[in-house]
Amino acid sequence: MSRLLLNCDIGESFGSWTMGLDAEVMPFIDCANVACGFHAGDPSIMRETVALALRHGVQIGAHPAYQDLVGFGRRSMAYSAQELQDILHYQIGALDGICKAQGGRVSYVKPHGAMYNDMMANPAQLRAVIQAVAAYDRSLPLMLMATCDNAAAQQIGDEHGVTLWFEAFADRAYDSAGRLVSRQLPGAVHHDPESIVAQALTIARGGELIASDGSALHLRANTLCVHGDNASSVAAVQRIRQALNAQGAS
């Protein structure tokens, strides 16, 4: 990709319970990672979120998760490789159907929460996820975490003919290996809009971040995430969009 895409986890409300500021953030992003019902979202929320994305010309990505509404998909769960592929196909297909009914389509896949973290820690699980995407539609890119060394993940993607989009985060702290600091630890999520904008620009310029242990960290990324459930990130997203445009990075 020739530019850094700005993405956001979105469509994470459920029934009468509202989460995130979807309408406020949608005009400023390139890609909407839409919850598919297992960790958040429901058929009506999915339909409304797809409609909002289509109105703003935003790419729609499936944001599948472990079947964990209570834990918001942030708890690891034991699945076999086949079960993992089954739940991925179930969720991608559901969102894709809702998109097609409105004249759109799913354009990429980004796993959510514990599934996302687990596949980055376990090469066998990453392979299962990549195989699931390839079996559904090999043309769909898979969004996954950029780390200090993307080579091993890239090799698996190449083996199965799946394009990988490496993702960095504007509002999260990193450890020295380029992994996200656990949300259970203090300082894992940035809440100062100035810090979020500064980190976004550092990533866009290919500069060095400061890891949680004080070491320098360089991430090579195709896309930058801000979280729709972090009010500070939503407040910063317009400024990030303007800054990226000014830098010629998007």
Side-chain angles (χ1 to χ4, degrees):
M1 292 186 299
S2 60
R3 65 192 185 102
L4 192 69
L5 299 173
L6 189 57
N7 78 81
C8 185
D9 299 347
I10 213 159
E12 294 182 320
S13 299
F14 183 79
S16 60
W17 180 72
T18 300
M19 183 171 190
L21 300 170
D22 294 0
E24 287 81 355
V25 76
M26 193 71 81
F28 304 107
I29 61 175
D30 301 293
C31 302
N33 317 318
V34 181
C36 300
F38 272 28
H39 77 281
D42 60 41
S44 295
I45 296 294
M46 292 163 71
R47 173 184 52 78
E48 293 167 3
T49 307
V50 165
L52 183 64
L54 290 173
R55 283 201 300 272
H56 289 281
V58 172
Q59 293 190 65
I60 298 164
H63 197 38
Y66 295 145
Q67 196 164 14
D68 181 26
L69 273 176
V70 173
F72 197 65
R74 289 179 175 160
R75 301 181 294 188
S76 291
M77 303 179 74
Y79 286 89
S80 70
Q82 185 60 65
E83 289 170 335
L84 187 62
Q85 293 182 41
D86 291 344
I87 67 169
L88 284 164
H89 291 160
Y90 184 95
Q91 293 175 83
I92 297 167
L95 182 64
D96 203 20
I98 289 172
C99 287
K100 288 179 178 178
Q102 299 188 57
R105 65 181 293 267
V106 166
S107 297
Y108 64 93
V109 177
K110 176 191 170 180
H112 166 81
M115 183 189 291
Y116 182 96
N117 292 327
D118 290 348
M119 75 180 191
M120 296 307 302
N122 183 343
Q125 181 155 334
L126 177 59
R127 184 178 296 275
V129 171
I130 289 174
Q131 288 173 332
V133 173
Y136 185 85
D137 183 346
R138 189 171 274 107
S139 72
L140 297 180
L142 174 68
M143 195 179 290
L144 72 170
M145 191 187 304
T147 65
C148 292
D149 184 0
N150 299 331
Q154 186 65 63
Q155 181 177 346
I156 300 173
D158 291 345
E159 287 176 12
H160 295 281
V162 172
T163 299
L164 303 183
W165 288 354
F166 290 99
E167 176 185 42
F169 294 80
D171 58 356
R172 293 294 304 277
Y174 284 91
D175 65 19
S176 59
R179 307 284 186 183
L180 297 179
V181 173
S182 169
R183 286 178 178 267
Q184 298 177 8
L185 298 176
V189 180
H190 301 320
H191 295 290
D192 174 22
E194 295 294 335
S195 298
I196 295 169
V197 174
Q199 182 157 308
L201 288 179
T202 298
I203 294 167
R205 294 167 181 154
E208 290 185 340
L209 302 176
I210 303 302
S212 57
D213 66 353
S215 62
L217 176 66
H218 180 262
L219 299 176
R220 186 175 179 180
N222 307 110
T223 183
L224 181 71
C225 180
V226 294
H227 283 100
D229 62 342
N230 180 355
S232 299
S233 294
V234 174
V237 70
Q238 183 175 1
R239 293 173 57 195
I240 293 172
R241 173 84 281 157
Q242 292 170 342
L244 290 178
N245 289 346
Q247 289 292 323
S250 79

